[in-house]
Amino acid sequence: MKTIFLLMDSLNRHYLNSYGFDKVKTPNIDRLASRGIVFDSHYAGSLPCMPARRELMTGRLNFLETPWGPVEPWDTCMPVELREQKGTYCHMVTDHYHYFHSGGEAYHTLFDSWELERGQEGDRWHPLVKEPEVPEFKGKNRRAYWVNREFYDREDETQYPTPRCFMRGMEFLENNCREDNWHLHLEVFDPHEPFVCPKKYTDLYGDQWEGGYHFDWPPYQETEEGPEAIEHIRRSYAGVLTMADVWLGKFLDKMDELDLWKDTAVIFTTDHGHLLGEHGYWGKNYMFDYQELAHIPLIICTPETAYCHRRVPALTATMDLMPTIMELHGAQIPPDVHGSSLLPLLDGSEERLRDSVLYGYFGKDINLFDGRYSYCRQPAEGSKLYHHTLMPRSFNDFLSPEQLAKAELGFYIENQKAIPQLRIEAESYRHKNAGESNLIYDIQMDPGQEHPIEDSELENKLAEKMVRLLIKYDAPECQYQRTGLEHLRSL
């Protein structure tokens, strides 16, 4: 078996034709959907980028234990397991620079080989001592972004990292199409912000931004800009997504040319969604975890599903992808994995895997979706929790000396292979503009999550479901305490 894992970052399913939203030209994502199986109720687990990737590698929900950070010494990771169990050759192609940045250690080295295409977002790539030219702009600002812009032709798409990733992916196919038992992890940063691409792509959406300032990287805050700026960003996002789709199409053409579909499985998904002014917010992370962020696309094509164009309503989650790839290669799924293989849903031998999913960010709310209701359990004001790690790195550098000086060493979490952990106190926080109640929405009746429900009996039932999942997923004791769920543990 050969497997290809295709990941686009920040892919909002509400912009995809294959999910019933005719907003963006994505004929090649549609092409995958027509060839395989579309999962209609697929959810993120641990957000944002690196927590999602740790979950992809381990099949374990990790936002209850740890924030953004490296692979941990006790993690059982898919590329290593495939190599040790089945001799599978695993290769990574990516432009997601966080793998090579502080807080992303030990991910790419899981693979037998890897390629990084440089230049996305704030990737500190080109050396430039003088200050780069910076136009009048609004939004985020990282020096490396302005530096990198000076070193490429913005109208030549072959100079963009996403097309270059697909080129490297096609080279891998050409060089290895006659071999068996390999796994290709092909991951592109687009359509993640900044939303920049050649003009021919934004022209497809009639973007004629004349706002008087440069605007392609919205800040992570409430929208203060007018409707013209919001529409400009949405059209820019559409252009970047269409460029990524065009190059996905070239990759799929190469699969056709090399006749790879007969013995290759393809999994296409994202890590999380992104808000483009919806609900009055830009970005992700700080706001309530709306469906646009957590409810994400997933398409799977295998030799057995050729052109079946089937849809699966079962609740699935990011944690399920690791065991799915393991089973596709005939490997045993490690006992500490939280997820379940999706193969029984592919062949129709099962219709459901679970009755609810958990998702969220470390330290923020804990969210549950049970197929109808979404439930957001907020932490108590000023409550504490713990970061469990032996890799004390964050997005910027090592955790501070003050934090590490207070760390405790011991055994605090399950399934850590008898390896002690550093336990570091952290602060809980609520989402932006949070009220006092734990939000409940009926997603069937209110898909836009505009009308929260006040129903104490329903909340008790949802809270009990949440506790059962917290127990199942080995949540540390602090998660029950900070969310006021201790009293339900014995039920």
Side-chain angles (χ1 to χ4, degrees):
M1 174 59 75
K2 305 165 187 176
T3 53
I4 300 173
F5 182 70
L6 298 172
L7 181 69
M8 289 185 181
D9 198 297
S10 303
L11 185 56
N12 187 327
R13 71 189 290 279
H14 292 77
Y15 284 73
L16 298 181
N17 302 319
S18 53
Y19 283 93
F21 302 96
D22 186 17
K23 293 184 179 180
V24 181
K25 295 174 175 62
T26 55
N28 296 296
I29 296 176
D30 300 345
R31 177 176 167 188
L32 275 177
S34 66
R35 184 171 197 113
I37 294 178
V38 177
F39 288 75
D40 283 325
S41 299
H42 187 63
Y43 277 76
S46 303
L47 293 91
C49 297
M50 295 321 294
R53 282 153 182 80
R54 187 172 169 216
E55 195 159 313
L56 288 167
M57 296 298 173
T58 63
R60 288 180 57 84
L61 201 67
N62 63 77
F63 82 92
L64 300 169
E65 302 172 356
T66 313
W68 180 295
V71 170
E72 295 288 347
W74 50 79
D75 285 342
T76 302
C77 296
M78 179 185 63
V80 175
E81 285 294 307
L82 287 177
R83 180 166 56 250
E84 292 181 351
Q85 288 193 39
K86 306 301 292 187
T88 305
Y89 189 96
C90 298
H91 180 65
M92 170 187 275
V93 176
T94 186
D95 58 350
H96 196 284
Y97 76 103
H98 294 307
Y99 284 120
F100 300 82
H101 186 272
S102 175
E105 291 83 0
Y107 288 89
H108 68 281
T109 52
L110 300 170
F111 292 80
D112 293 279
S113 50
W114 58 86
E115 298 173 272
L116 169 65
E117 290 295 332
R118 301 294 302 273
Q120 286 284 17
E121 196 194 57
D123 182 15
R124 291 174 286 189
W125 180 20
H126 287 293
L128 190 67
V129 176
K130 71 173 185 178
E131 287 303 305
E133 290 187 18
V134 179
E136 181 182 350
F137 72 95
K138 287 188 178 180
K140 285 192 176 183
N141 177 31
R142 290 181 185 164
R143 185 181 188 275
Y145 173 53
W146 302 113
V147 169
N148 292 341
R149 283 171 61 97
E150 294 199 3
F151 287 86
Y152 70 93
D153 177 355
R154 286 187 290 261
E155 296 308 312
D156 180 0
E157 62 194 286
T158 65
Q159 295 187 36
Y160 283 75
T162 284
R164 296 201 311 266
C165 281
F166 280 114
M167 292 178 198
R168 301 293 83 75
M170 287 184 275
E171 289 174 1
F172 179 89
L173 297 184
E174 289 179 337
N175 293 335
N176 297 285
C177 61
R178 294 179 180 82
E179 305 302 321
D180 194 17
N181 193 24
W182 49 253
H183 173 67
L184 172 62
H185 180 109
L186 175 52
E187 173 180 347
V188 298
F189 201 58
D190 288 335
H192 192 292
E193 77 276 13
F195 305 125
V196 58
C197 61
K199 185 174 181 295
K200 68 179 182 179
Y201 288 112
T202 53
D203 283 349
L204 293 172
Y205 302 98
D207 184 57
Q208 298 180 4
W209 172 242
E210 295 180 354
Y213 56 90
H214 181 89
F215 191 40
D216 62 15
W217 197 348
Y220 281 17
Q221 62 187 38
E222 293 174 89
T223 55
E224 299 175 350
E225 299 76 11
E228 297 84 3
I230 292 173
E231 190 59 34
H232 162 63
I233 286 298
R234 290 176 177 174
R235 290 172 177 174
S236 299
Y237 178 88
V240 172
L241 176 52
T242 294
M243 180 179 72
D245 183 85
V246 164
W247 284 87
L248 168 65
K250 296 177 186 295
F251 181 84
L252 300 182
D253 290 344
K254 182 61 65 174
M255 290 190 67
D256 291 343
E257 175 190 328
L258 299 173
D259 194 25
L260 279 168
W261 296 102
K262 68 179 184 299
D263 58 0
T264 306
V266 176
I267 297 174
F268 173 86
T269 190
T270 189
D271 49 358
H272 49 69
H274 197 86
L275 293 184
L276 300 157
E278 295 88 353
H279 307 287
Y281 295 106
W282 292 123
K284 56 183 185 289
N285 300 349
Y286 61 96
M287 70 287 283
F288 171 73
D289 298 325
Y290 291 100
Q291 291 285 295
E292 289 93 337
L293 295 173
H295 191 185
I296 58 177
L298 172 65
I299 301 169
I300 299 181
C301 305
T302 69
E304 294 74 26
T305 64
Y307 298 107
C308 73
H309 200 187
R310 185 159 62 86
R311 306 190 81 93
V312 169
L315 271 177
T316 59
T318 295
M319 68 175 78
D320 299 326
L321 300 181
M322 181 267 204
T324 300
I325 295 170
M326 294 286 292
E327 190 168 0
L328 282 167
H329 283 275
Q332 293 294 313
I333 298 171
D336 58 345
V337 166
H338 289 153
S340 300
S341 170
L342 301 178
L343 296 193
L345 297 177
L346 294 181
D347 64 21
S349 59
E350 293 185 19
E351 294 185 355
R352 57 182 287 172
L353 293 181
R354 58 177 60 85
D355 66 1
S356 50
V357 292
L358 285 185
Y359 55 92
Y361 291 78
F362 177 80
K364 201 173 72 169
D365 320 317
I366 301 176
N367 301 276
L368 175 141
F369 180 64
D370 69 354
R372 180 169 182 178
Y373 298 105
S374 72
Y375 177 50
C376 170
R377 187 81 183 192
Q378 297 192 104
E381 292 285 358
S383 59
K384 307 290 185 182
L385 77 162
Y386 293 98
H387 171 187
H388 303 83
T389 185
L390 270 183
M391 300 282 285
R393 298 275 282 175
S394 67
F395 182 84
N396 295 313
D397 204 341
F398 285 102
L399 301 184
S400 71
E402 292 77 16
Q403 288 175 293
L404 293 176
K406 297 177 182 178
E408 304 169 276
L409 182 66
F411 298 91
Y412 307 109
I413 59 175
E414 301 292 332
N415 294 302
Q416 67 340 25
K417 300 181 175 66
I419 301 171
Q421 311 96 46
L422 290 174
R423 188 171 75 166
I424 304 164
E425 189 175 282
E427 294 283 343
S428 295
Y429 65 102
R430 295 183 174 188
H431 62 264
K432 180 77 172 179
N433 297 323
E436 291 305 311
S437 62
N438 295 310
L439 294 175
I440 301 172
Y441 291 100
D442 184 338
I443 301 302
Q444 290 182 10
M445 302 301 294
D446 179 23
Q449 294 176 293
E450 297 175 350
H451 308 290
I453 296 170
E454 296 285 348
D455 184 330
S456 58
E457 183 177 351
L458 175 59
E459 178 168 3
N460 287 337
K461 291 179 180 178
L462 294 171
E464 289 174 8
K465 285 184 180 182
M466 181 173 284
V467 167
R468 287 196 291 271
L469 289 185
L470 290 173
I471 293 170
K472 181 177 181 179
Y473 300 141
D474 310 313
E477 185 65 30
C478 58
Q479 295 290 358
Y480 302 93
Q481 295 169 349
R482 77 186 192 99
T483 53
L485 291 170
E486 308 102 307
H487 67 289
L488 295 176
R489 291 196 66 182
S490 59
L491 296 180

